[in-house]
Amino acid sequence: MVASGTAVVAFRTARKVAASRFQSPRRAAAGNTYTLHPTDLGGRACRVPALFLLRWRLPMRRYHRPITRDYTTVAIFATVVFSHTHLASAEPAARLAEDPKPKSTTVAPLSPSTLLETQGSALDEGAHDAPPGSNNDAANARKPEFQEQAPQSLQLNLGLQWWFVRDKAIFGPIVRFGGRWVTAHFEFSPIRLYRKSEYIESKWLGSISSFYLTLSPLKNERVEAHLGLGCEWHWLFGVNSEESKGAMGARASLHWWVGREWAVFGIVRTHLVASNGLGLGEMTSGARDLPMMISLGVEIGGRK
Amino acid sequence: MNSRLRLFAILGLASLLGCEPITYSHESKIDFTRYRSVSASVNGGNQNYTDYLVAELRSVSGFEEVSVAPASTDVRLEVVLDVEIVTSVDSDGNTQVDYHGSAEYVLTDRRGTVLLTGGEADTSFSYTETAEDTLDQVAEVFLAPYRI
């Protein structure tokens, strides 16, 4: 059910992104300047699956920890507050496109040497850095802000992710590096138990190190989607320094750039092959649930 | 900004409700409720290695009592440890020494019935290190069961 809800959100988001065509001059010239806006994701596209999940999950999860006691609540609250207060720099392209007036600025006269340097950098970085007085000023003012950056052939992103796992806190850094189509993801996430276990003395159970190689069927300045395969190594040093489990898995992730250099992302993963004793979607009582895991996070770095 | 706040709230709530479990477990090869005590011996009583294995078993195994004396224990663990020194010369003429350790173990009850047999191996860069690492592997066989 969770997978279907996530798939619905991902599909609708991808459809809206595809429909928006951020850099389509043909659509812009025709006046069709619809652009993906945060409201779209917070509106019907997300509301329906969220309500669906609410109706399905709540009666089934009476044993679930109270949300107010869950550390994940703190993480989500911190993410919301941070994004609310610090990520306001990203203005939707539509709002810029709706402003018909070019923004004029007063520029002090430049010396000939400075002017030459400015022209040189303009050739390197693009027409938006053209010297003052150029006829391109008005056109540049209408361009969405994400077009002001030169496209990067390779991306390096650093982030923090929080696994939404029951009875354990799994969180840690994530690094991804790649180009337009292929990306390598490195993750390291320590595991801490909420409650002390009878089997180990410490609440620190171990850590998860993983490497995934993904393909990117969708990648533009706002949204990235990654699908791929990889392996995970679960080192259970809380049990024994020699104790570990391994798994080969598949994962899908969706990254949404809410700011110029900030993005939020969600990852859904499952294990295709795993060691004995590594039960994804398995409760300590032995009951089985969905063999998948969701994690959310925030990342910084370059975008396409 | 309200829309963005609402988006994060909905995503966060949906993810909270989507918490899935992950469980790590280990099923022991020995019924530790039936066999609670063990006596261990390495190479017929080599004191250093026997003491090391006893300490490791006390640390990680599911046995409640681990000792050297075989008389009063439920089971007896006999280990034959062998460390082989392998010397090789690479294309540049440099000599390299590797240590390959192997251990064969037999677990028997008081009547002499074999409960478990097997072998472990490890490689390291010194004789003592190799021997201890190999004994670590043997102790791991008797790791206490857990389900976390």
Side-chain angles (χ1 to χ4, degrees), chain A residues 96-130:
Chain A
L96 295 177
E98 287 170 0
D99 183 9
K101 297 180 180 178
K103 295 175 182 176
S104 60
T105 55
T106 304
V107 180
L110 299 175
S111 64
S113 59
T114 308
L115 191 57
L116 284 175
E117 291 176 1
T118 307
Q119 287 172 337
S121 63
L123 289 173
D124 293 337
E125 299 175 6
H128 62 278
D129 283 331

Side-chain angles (χ1 to χ4, degrees), chain A residues 39 41-42 54 57 72 80 83-84 87 90 164-166 168 191 199 205 234 236 239-240 242-243 245 256 264 277-279 281-284 286 289-290 292 296, chain B residues 1-26 56 59-60 133 136-137 140 143-148:
Chain A
T39 312
L41 292 176
L54 271 172
R57 302 293 290 191
T72 50
V80 170
S83 62
H84 186 69
L87 305 183
F164 288 89
V165 58
R166 203 171 300 161
K168 298 177 182 68
I191 310 170
Y199 300 104
L205 174 59
H234 299 240
L236 306 178
V239 176
N240 186 279
E242 303 285 336
E243 182 69 357
K245 312 283 186 187
W256 180 41
V264 294
L278 175 51
E282 182 181 338
M283 285 178 269
T284 51
D289 209 325
L290 289 174
M292 54 170 284
L296 292 182
Chain B
M1 291 306 296
N2 286 335
S3 59
R4 185 172 297 170
L5 192 64
R6 186 175 58 179
L7 165 67
F8 278 99
I10 290 174
L11 284 178
L13 186 60
S15 301
L16 270 179
L17 296 170
C19 281
E20 294 294 328
I22 183 170
T23 299
Y24 301 98
S25 61
H26 171 71
E56 277 298 305
S59 174
V60 304
D133 287 352
D136 287 344
Q137 301 276 346
E140 283 271 320
L143 184 67
Y146 62 85
R147 192 168 189 84
I148 304 172

Side-chain angles (χ1 to χ4, degrees), chain B residues 4-80:
Chain B
R4 185 172 297 170
L5 192 64
R6 186 175 58 179
L7 165 67
F8 278 99
I10 290 174
L11 284 178
L13 186 60
S15 301
L16 270 179
L17 296 170
C19 281
E20 294 294 328
I22 183 170
T23 299
Y24 301 98
S25 61
H26 171 71
E27 303 296 333
S28 60
K29 297 176 180 176
I30 298 295
D31 183 3
F32 291 111
T33 59
R34 182 178 178 187
Y35 305 107
R36 297 172 182 272
S37 59
V38 63
S39 59
S41 172
V42 179
N43 290 352
N46 183 303
Q47 193 62 43
N48 290 337
Y49 294 139
T50 299
D51 289 345
Y52 183 84
L53 179 60
V54 167
E56 277 298 305
L57 288 171
R58 283 176 179 155
S59 174
V60 304
S61 78
F63 294 110
E64 291 180 2
E65 182 185 346
V66 183
S67 66
V68 180
S72 59
T73 56
D74 297 330
V75 290
R76 173 77 176 163
L77 176 62
E78 295 280 354
V79 179
V80 177

Side-chain angles (χ1 to χ4, degrees), chain A residues 197-216:
Chain A
S197 170
E198 59 179 309
Y199 300 104
I200 60 175
E201 296 177 354
S202 171
K203 281 190 173 181
W204 290 102
L205 174 59
S207 64
I208 304 173
S209 303
S210 56
F211 168 73
Y212 280 91
L213 207 57
T214 61
L215 295 176
S216 311

Side-chain angles (χ1 to χ4, degrees), chain A:
Chain A
M1 293 296 179
V2 176
S4 62
T6 307
V8 168
V9 174
F11 174 73
R12 294 187 177 183
T13 304
R15 193 176 59 181
K16 292 204 172 198
V17 169
S20 64
R21 296 196 179 192
F22 292 107
Q23 291 182 315
S24 170
R26 181 175 57 81
R27 286 197 169 220
N32 185 0
T33 56
Y34 176 77
T35 304
L36 185 70
H37 188 268
T39 312
D40 299 331
L41 292 176
R44 283 177 296 179
C46 246
R47 196 176 302 152
V48 172
L51 290 176
F52 183 69
L53 286 171
L54 271 172
R55 289 190 60 185
W56 181 74
R57 302 293 290 191
L58 281 181
M60 301 288 288
R61 296 289 178 267
R62 290 175 184 170
Y63 53 84
H64 193 274
R65 299 166 57 82
I67 289 178
T68 51
R69 289 177 56 198
D70 203 317
Y71 294 153
T72 50
T73 307
V74 179
I76 290 300
F77 181 75
T79 305
V80 170
V81 170
F82 183 84
S83 62
H84 186 69
T85 54
H86 289 78
L87 305 183
S89 58
E91 288 293 330
R95 296 182 184 176
L96 295 177
E98 287 170 0
D99 183 9
K101 297 180 180 178
K103 295 175 182 176
S104 60
T105 55
T106 304
V107 180
L110 299 175
S111 64
S113 59
T114 308
L115 191 57
L116 284 175
E117 291 176 1
T118 307
Q119 287 172 337
S121 63
L123 289 173
D124 293 337
E125 299 175 6
H128 62 278
D129 283 331
S134 165
N135 292 333
N136 292 332
D137 281 355
N140 291 333
R142 294 193 192 99
K143 287 185 178 179
E145 66 174 3
F146 53 76
Q147 291 183 350
E148 295 175 1
Q149 286 186 325
Q152 299 175 7
S153 57
L154 291 175
Q155 284 180 252
L156 175 63
N157 302 88
L158 309 175
L160 283 171
Q161 69 169 334
W162 185 278
W163 296 46
F164 288 89
V165 58
R166 203 171 300 161
D167 297 330
K168 298 177 182 68
I170 306 178
F171 55 92
I174 181 170
V175 178
R176 65 184 176 102
F177 176 78
R180 166 63 185 89
W181 292 104
V182 181
T183 304
H185 304 256
F186 301 91
E187 303 173 15
F188 176 77
S189 302
I191 310 170
R192 186 173 169 82
L193 303 175
Y194 286 146
R195 287 185 291 262
K196 193 165 172 41
S197 170
E198 59 179 309
Y199 300 104
I200 60 175
E201 296 177 354
S202 171
K203 281 190 173 181
W204 290 102
L205 174 59
S207 64
I208 304 173
S209 303
S210 56
F211 168 73
Y212 280 91
L213 207 57
T214 61
L215 295 176
S216 311
L218 173 65
K219 200 169 195 178
N220 57 40
E221 288 77 7
R222 285 288 181 189
V223 179
E224 297 178 26
H226 299 270
L227 298 168
L229 302 172
C231 53
E232 296 180 359
W233 180 56
H234 299 240
W235 180 28
L236 306 178
F237 56 77
V239 176
N240 186 279
S241 60
E242 303 285 336
E243 182 69 357
S244 62
K245 312 283 186 187
M248 292 184 65
R251 63 170 251 175
S253 62
L254 192 65
H255 303 249
W256 180 41
W257 291 93
V258 293
R260 182 182 291 273
E261 295 178 341
W262 291 84
V264 294
F265 62 89
I267 302 173
V268 180
R269 75 187 76 207
T270 187
H271 289 166
L272 304 175
V273 183
S275 304
N276 286 333
L278 175 51
L280 187 64
E282 182 181 338
M283 285 178 269
T284 51
S285 63
R288 295 268 180 183
D289 209 325
L290 289 174
M292 54 170 284
M293 193 63 61
I294 297 174
S295 59
L296 292 182
V298 182
E299 66 178 351
I300 60 173
R303 56 176 141 170
K304 181 196 170 200

